[in-house]
Amino acid sequence: MDTGKASGLPLSDGPADAPAKGPGEALVVFTPSGKRGRFAVGTPLLKAARALGVDVDTVCGGRGICGRCQVVVGQGEFAKHGIRSAQDHVTAWNEVEARYQSKKGMKPGRRLSCQAQLLADAVIDVPADSQVHKQVVRKRAEVRNIELDPAIRLHYVEVEEPDMHKPSGDLERLLQALERQWELKGLDWDLRVVQNLQKTLRAGNWKVTVAIHRGQVLTHVYPGFRDKVYGVAVDVGSTTIAAHLCDLSTGEVVASGGLMNPQIRFGEDLMSRVSYVMMNPGGEVELTEAVRAGLNELFHTVANEAGIEVVDILNAVVVGNPIMHHLLLGIDPTELGGAPFALSMSSGMTIWASELGLELESDARVYVLPCIAGHVGADTAGVILSEQPHLREEISLVVDVGTNAEIVLGNRHRLLACSSPTGPAFEGAQISSGQRAAPGAIERVRIDPQTLEPRFKVIGSDLWNDEPGFAGEIRKIGVTGICGSGIIEVLAELFLAGVILTDGTIDGAAAARNPRVEGDGRTFRYLLHEPADPDDPRITVTQNDVRAIQLGKAALYAGTRLLMDRFGIEKVDRIQLAGAFGSHIEPKYAMILGMIPDCDLANVSAAGNAAGTGARIALLNQKARDEIQQIVKRVEKVETAVEPRFQEHFVEAMALPHKSAAFPELAKAVALPAPRLPAPPGDGEDGGRRRRRRG
């Protein structure tokens, strides 16, 4: 029962901005959306979520029957939100939840948001499977020619049967057969192989197929003949995890999958997760368990898609930023939270899957690519392996755009790398109508520079909103928000149309041209979509949205500029945009906003999920593992956090496209507006009249 009226007062992101807590009220923050508000104690979590526009699924209307509205109550101190959250900050399990659990079951730690009521401040995570608009993880396997030389190879052998007159162990006779028939000598082996060896040999009538890792380690023994074995390449991102399951005998990607990183409930950005570890003893264990559980879920998903068992996967290659890298390996990332940002280890390593609690074949081997520096991780090593700037004469800039941007600059003579804190705005977070890339999200925008009327496309439809049939195609999914590529395009289009000024201000004078430019308190916003149904969300672009993107793009450009300064150049020859976001943004719009430096647009391209491609290269070609280990030793690391010129570059990059840098190549393709700033207070006809009246 709802025992109190929900105020649903939305708050800004920072805890310092929260209004004073009223009597009998509690603050609730929903992740991963970041939406927050104060509600009367006793308000059901589902009701609070609806009031804030949080994406929570339900079919039964809150009766506790469908079970689609499951959530997880955060545990511990959440410094970013200024909240301590605990299980007892919501009501205890009730009979409805107990009945649902007994009939259909729920994952440990989950609650039905229609039944759990708010008692005190709480952080509530909405899992991906409880969201109406479930995440579309856009990290696909890029088409790439890779020389096939996998670390796992299969060897069929016939083993001599036991003989009382020639006593020896089954393992010794297997090793002799491998040496005799395959010239494999001095192999290492693990106790787990021996534990099942006798049954396997007899089941195969002394004919078995042996999997050998890098010609050195006896990894698994199959009865009879077998010609297929599988490996998986994994990109553990701070927001999403992507996996590509490969047939190691052909190199074919037989299944791909992705999911939201379960660690999001501990913080959207990396520093929030490090902060959680610092403030909650044992927090690193929780984060490690969360990411490993996510990997296991993903492994089962891709195995099911390919029609195999997870125990058929004998090799895995993993990339990730330094904090993801450390947490996956069970290493406390606290030292990465402050200067000098010391890595526990930077070398690549190979370990048993069982050491990481991964539900692959127990003797499967996992290779983790090397890290480069405290903020430049194994994912950047994967990007280098994929895009190979070290093999070119021309100077390439490779930018992997995400919550943190990893940036690589150089050629075959020299390589530099850094990480820049762009924040989650490029992925739709911290944006008023923002959401991640899911059906219903606006992903493409065009604005008529004369009328200021918009056209847009949403994920889930190939039609523009003004084309016949659009309404019918999106009837089920609706227009629900705007994702990263959409927010970049709408801001760039508004800038070209003169609605957004050089300093990022939304010009209120544009309201005279089109009422879509609306007053929003002391600032203005642009109405991108007005729904036919008043219960559906209005999609607007606010001044705060513009500022969030400015901050992210300025950090990205400043990091790039630092590398260019160190390299001693003023222009790059080519730019490659990597990552899920970088792959779906039109390069022209990235340059219009000044996310990247000026370059011939013909030489700016999308690199796809380059980190994941690098992991797949290392999975399918064992020599690539040795190659990247040597390459990263050559990379010069630039730490943006301690570079004195970073702030200078950052401030100049806040302007659109930049305060001082010229963009001649961009100007060849786009008619850039002349720099224009807001009029000073009191200027203009009205201000002049006021001054005269006072005089």
Side-chain angles (χ1 to χ4, degrees):
M1 178 183 293
D2 181 2
T3 61
K5 183 179 179 182
S7 66
L9 178 63
L11 307 176
S12 64
D13 288 332
D17 296 323
K21 183 175 180 180
E25 286 188 338
L27 174 63
V28 60
V29 179
F30 288 91
T31 62
S33 69
K35 293 181 178 178
R36 48 198 248 122
R38 294 202 186 282
F39 294 86
V41 168
T43 300
L45 296 177
L46 179 60
K47 184 171 183 178
R50 285 174 167 173
L52 294 172
V54 176
D55 188 12
V56 181
D57 198 3
T58 180
V59 172
C60 67
R63 296 179 178 84
I65 299 171
C66 70
R68 297 195 180 190
C69 67
Q70 296 177 30
V71 296
V72 177
V73 181
Q75 292 283 98
E77 298 287 345
F78 293 82
K80 177 180 178 181
H81 306 299
I83 286 179
R84 178 182 172 275
S85 180
Q87 290 285 356
D88 60 2
H89 288 198
V90 301
T91 52
W93 266 54
N94 63 18
E95 293 180 1
V96 175
E97 289 175 296
R99 183 176 67 247
Y100 184 87
Q101 169 74 341
S102 66
K103 290 184 176 181
K104 298 184 180 179
M106 283 195 290
K107 293 181 180 178
R110 290 198 174 187
R111 299 293 306 275
L112 296 181
S113 64
C114 62
Q115 301 300 311
Q117 299 172 10
L118 193 62
L119 295 180
D121 295 353
V123 174
I124 305 297
D125 180 58
V126 183
D129 55 8
S130 296
Q131 298 172 19
V132 179
H133 308 287
K134 295 175 175 60
Q135 172 75 7
V136 176
V137 179
R138 297 173 147 200
K139 290 189 175 181
R140 60 186 179 87
E142 304 299 321
V143 176
R144 187 66 60 93
N145 291 323
I146 302 172
E147 180 185 350
L148 191 61
D149 181 20
I152 294 286
R153 290 189 178 273
L154 297 177
H155 303 271
Y156 176 74
V157 294
E158 297 183 0
V159 181
E160 190 176 318
E161 295 187 35
D163 186 335
M164 290 181 62
H165 301 289
K166 295 189 290 183
S168 67
D170 285 351
L171 174 64
E172 286 68 29
R173 280 181 279 103
L174 173 62
L175 294 173
Q176 290 168 6
L178 286 165
E179 181 174 348
R180 186 170 59 250
Q181 297 170 36
W182 291 96
E183 297 184 355
L184 292 167
K185 303 178 181 179
L187 295 175
D188 291 328
W189 46 271
D190 183 73
L191 175 61
R192 286 182 295 263
V193 172
V194 182
Q195 288 170 336
N196 294 308
L197 181 60
Q198 292 194 313
K199 290 181 180 179
T200 302
L201 285 169
R202 285 152 183 81
N205 195 25
W206 305 100
K207 299 176 179 66
V208 294
T209 302
V210 182
I212 306 294
H213 180 265
R214 302 209 71 178
Q216 299 171 334
V217 182
L218 196 161
T219 301
H220 196 71
V221 183
Y222 298 97
F225 176 77
R226 184 184 183 97
D227 62 354
K228 283 190 180 296
V229 68
Y230 298 88
V232 62
V234 185
D235 176 11
V236 182
S238 54
T239 302
T240 58
I241 303 175
H244 304 299
L245 181 66
C246 300
D247 181 339
L248 296 183
S249 62
T250 65
E252 178 190 3
V253 177
V254 296
S256 294
L259 49 68
M260 302 294 289
N261 189 329
Q263 292 179 341
I264 280 181
R265 67 178 181 268
F266 300 99
E268 289 183 7
D269 57 84
L270 296 173
M271 286 302 105
S272 291
R273 296 180 203 176
V274 175
S275 175
Y276 182 85
V277 171
M278 291 177 173
M279 300 184 69
N280 296 275
E284 72 279 7
V285 176
E286 293 181 81
L287 286 157
T288 293
E289 290 175 347
V291 71
R292 290 179 179 179
L295 284 175
N296 284 327
E297 180 181 341
L298 190 51
F299 292 154
H300 282 279
T301 298
V302 294
N304 289 338
E305 182 182 332
I308 67 170
E309 301 293 329
V310 288
V311 292
D312 294 327
I313 302 173
L314 282 187
N315 202 202
V317 173
V318 180
V319 298
N321 61 60
I323 291 173
M324 293 299 98
H325 169 279
H326 278 39
L327 287 169
L328 174 63
L329 296 176
I331 301 170
D332 188 331
T334 300
E335 291 299 324
L336 296 172
F341 312 107
L343 290 161
S344 176
M345 57 169 291
S346 58
S347 303
M349 66 183 303
T350 302
I351 48 183
W352 300 112
S354 55
E355 291 181 86
L356 299 180
L358 301 181
E359 296 170 1
L360 308 177
E361 209 312 304
S362 59
D363 284 300
R365 302 284 270 167
V366 178
Y367 174 69
V368 183
L369 266 70
C371 289
I372 297 173
H375 285 156
V376 186
D379 50 354
T380 307
V383 169
I384 293 172
L385 197 55
S386 170
E387 302 312 304
Q388 302 184 325
H390 58 288
L391 299 181
R392 297 193 183 102
E393 188 68 37
E394 61 188 357
I395 298 175
S396 299
L397 173 68
V398 187
V399 182
D400 191 348
V401 186
T403 305
N404 281 303
E406 283 77 35
I407 308 169
V408 177
L409 177 73
N411 57 10
R412 69 185 186 89
H413 302 291
R414 188 181 183 192
L415 278 182
L416 294 89
C418 74
S419 175
S420 203
T422 51
F426 292 147
E427 296 177 331
Q430 297 181 348
I431 302 299
S432 60
S433 297
Q435 67 171 82
R436 292 190 172 89
I442 294 174
E443 63 171 345
R444 292 280 177 264
V445 180
R446 301 293 181 268
I447 294 175
D448 187 301
Q450 303 303 320
T451 66
L452 304 187
E453 283 297 310
R455 300 174 66 231
F456 59 80
K457 293 177 74 173
V458 301
I459 298 173
S461 173
D462 292 328
L463 300 175
W464 290 85
N465 69 309
D466 59 352
E467 292 182 311
F470 174 80
E473 277 205 4
I474 64 142
R475 185 171 291 114
K476 290 185 178 180
I477 59 176
V479 181
T480 56
I482 186 166
C483 65
S485 61
I487 194 68
I488 293 301
E489 292 197 2
V490 70
L491 294 191
E493 286 278 328
L494 288 171
F495 174 65
L496 293 176
V499 177
I500 294 179
L501 305 181
T502 304
D503 69 346
T505 301
I506 297 178
D507 185 8
R513 299 165 59 191
N514 192 312
R516 286 182 177 273
V517 179
E518 308 172 335
D520 185 20
R522 299 178 64 182
T523 60
F524 293 86
R525 64 186 174 214
Y526 176 80
L527 175 61
L528 179 58
H529 171 64
E530 180 75 78
D533 187 338
D535 291 332
D536 291 339
R538 296 175 92 232
I539 311 300
T540 63
V541 177
T542 70
Q543 187 64 70
N544 283 340
D545 297 338
V546 181
R547 291 290 181 246
I549 294 298
Q550 281 182 277
L551 291 169
K553 77 97 178 179
L556 178 57
Y557 188 96
T560 300
R561 188 66 239 187
L562 280 179
L563 297 189
M564 294 172 68
D565 290 348
R566 183 74 64 90
F567 207 95
I569 58 173
E570 290 297 321
K571 187 176 180 181
V572 298
D573 298 316
R574 75 163 51 231
I575 300 175
Q576 292 160 289
L577 298 172
F581 170 76
S583 299
H584 290 87
I585 184 175
E586 190 172 327
K588 175 180 73 173
Y589 288 110
M591 199 175 292
I592 289 170
L593 291 187
M595 292 174 60
I596 52 178
D598 189 54
C599 182
D600 184 346
L601 282 169
N603 294 334
V604 184
S605 60
N609 178 21
T613 299
R616 192 157 54 91
I617 292 171
L619 175 70
L620 298 176
N621 188 310
Q622 58 182 315
K623 295 184 182 69
R625 306 181 186 189
D626 304 323
E627 177 189 359
I628 193 60
Q629 189 72 47
Q630 296 305 313
I631 293 170
V632 297
K633 294 177 181 177
R634 294 172 38 201
V635 178
E636 299 173 41
K637 301 89 176 175
V638 176
E639 184 51 68
T640 58
V642 296
E643 282 288 332
R645 292 206 68 194
F646 181 83
Q647 190 64 24
E648 175 187 335
H649 286 311
F650 178 86
V651 170
E652 292 218 328
M654 282 291 287
L656 303 179
H658 193 275
K659 184 177 180 179
S660 58
F663 281 75
E665 295 292 344
L666 176 62
K668 294 176 183 177
V670 178
L672 292 172
R676 193 160 61 95
L677 297 173
D683 279 10
E685 185 178 341
D686 291 341
R689 280 200 298 266
R690 285 195 296 271
R691 285 195 298 272
R692 285 194 295 272
R693 283 195 295 270
R694 292 191 187 103

